[in-house]
Amino acid sequence: MAEINIPRDEQEALRSIDVRALDKAIDACLDARRISSTLREYRLGSCGLFVAAKLREFETALAEYAGAKAPKKVAATESRARRAGSVLENAVQQMQHRIDTQEQEGQLFFVDDHIIPPSHFSQQLTVLVRYRWRHTIEAEWTHGSITFSHVHAPRPDYTVAPPKRKPSKSQQERDQQEELWRQWAHLMRQGLFSLVEYFREGLDGGAIPKTFQARADDYSRRLNNFSCRFWLEPAKTKSSTKTE
């Protein structure tokens, strides 16, 4: 599952877009109060989930604008549609900027985000992240990996009312697997982004440990935004950020 690297097909779709021409196409849609064939030619749905989501929001706002009759409703829906169009254009620009950043950083490091989840989860969660790095663009690549681990044993949340009916054993198992899946995905993302942050800070790839036990929040025993920052001292993680 891709989390940090933009796939090649999405890069090609994004690079093919002239933002100034896109701006004119969006304006044309607003004038016509419908999606034009010109905008469809940009293949925005192929530019990744982020851009595709903003495209759907623009389409929805435009449909509401097209269906408005009363002057007050027309003015309100037009304003929302224009904002959605601006957000769509900005989303494309953001992703184009991300491509440039990815290419620049890729000269010195690459973190492989293609990680396949296990078919079954236990409370002992692990994520193996592979990477390569080098000190200069003339140097040979050094390949490595780090395994992030976490035992999912959170404190009970007594603020949540228990179900009126006790779920069946099979339902409990399904619920537990769904919860463990969410925690595994959270561990994976924290591991990936922590590793990218480490390299972005210009730190030594040779000092990355082979394994790292994620530091859970002291109170909730859940992962937080510092949990996988393996280069920080434990004392610096105590002022935890928002937990999941």
Side-chain angles (χ1 to χ4, degrees):
M1 53 195 323
E3 290 288 339
I4 56 176
N5 300 312
I6 303 172
R8 188 170 297 278
D9 58 335
E10 293 178 15
Q11 290 188 39
E12 291 173 356
L14 285 160
R15 285 194 180 285
S16 70
I17 297 172
D18 182 321
V19 177
R20 286 175 294 182
L22 175 64
D23 179 61
K24 292 179 181 178
I26 290 173
D27 282 342
C29 291
L30 290 164
D31 292 340
R33 297 170 73 171
R34 63 180 176 82
I35 296 294
S36 68
S37 57
T38 303
L39 186 65
R40 296 192 189 282
E41 290 174 0
Y42 285 104
R43 299 186 299 132
L44 295 175
S46 301
C47 293
L49 296 177
F50 180 57
V51 173
K54 301 309 175 186
L55 173 62
R56 288 193 298 272
E57 291 173 10
F58 178 58
E59 290 173 336
T60 299
L62 201 59
E64 291 174 353
Y65 177 35
K69 302 299 181 185
K72 198 170 185 180
K73 185 76 170 177
V74 170
T77 54
E78 179 185 5
S79 178
R80 285 197 292 270
R82 290 193 181 280
R83 282 199 303 271
S86 179
V87 168
L88 173 60
E89 182 183 342
N90 288 337
V92 172
Q93 290 178 306
Q94 286 179 48
M95 293 306 295
Q96 289 178 335
H97 177 69
R98 271 194 59 190
I99 293 174
D100 294 338
T101 301
Q102 183 174 313
E103 286 189 347
Q104 184 178 3
E105 293 178 342
Q107 297 182 66
L108 295 178
F109 70 87
F110 174 79
V111 177
D112 188 354
D113 62 355
H114 187 69
I115 301 174
I116 300 174
S119 57
H120 188 271
F121 297 93
S122 68
Q123 286 183 292
Q124 177 63 58
L125 304 171
T126 59
V127 175
L128 173 67
V129 181
R130 294 183 172 87
Y131 59 88
R132 64 174 181 262
W133 69 282
R134 55 187 178 183
H135 287 296
T136 66
I137 58 175
E138 294 83 14
E140 293 294 323
W141 286 106
T142 297
H143 295 258
S145 67
I146 176 173
T147 298
F148 296 95
S149 60
H150 170 61
V151 177
H152 182 57
R155 294 185 189 277
D157 187 355
Y158 296 109
T159 64
V160 178
K164 293 181 179 179
R165 279 178 110 180
K166 185 177 180 181
S168 65
K169 189 173 181 181
S170 59
Q171 184 61 51
Q172 290 181 53
E173 173 64 19
R174 285 194 295 272
D175 291 345
Q176 183 186 48
Q177 284 297 301
E178 288 177 5
E179 170 65 8
L180 290 171
W181 152 252
R182 288 191 292 269
Q183 294 305 314
W184 180 88
H186 189 39
L187 176 66
M188 176 197 66
R189 294 185 186 103
Q190 288 295 318
L192 286 170
F193 285 106
S194 291
L195 200 53
V196 169
E197 180 182 354
Y198 181 84
F199 283 120
R200 281 177 177 168
E201 290 186 6
L203 301 175
D204 182 14
I208 297 174
K210 289 291 184 183
T211 61
F212 181 73
Q213 180 71 40
R215 302 185 185 103
D217 180 84
D218 289 340
Y219 176 73
S220 68
R221 296 204 293 255
R222 290 179 177 272
L223 298 172
N224 61 46
N225 292 342
F226 288 93
S227 293
C228 292
R229 294 181 179 180
F230 50 87
W231 65 100
L232 297 181
E233 294 296 328
K236 294 183 182 180
T237 70
K238 288 184 178 180
S239 55
S240 60
T241 60
K242 183 175 82 172
T243 57
E244 186 183 53

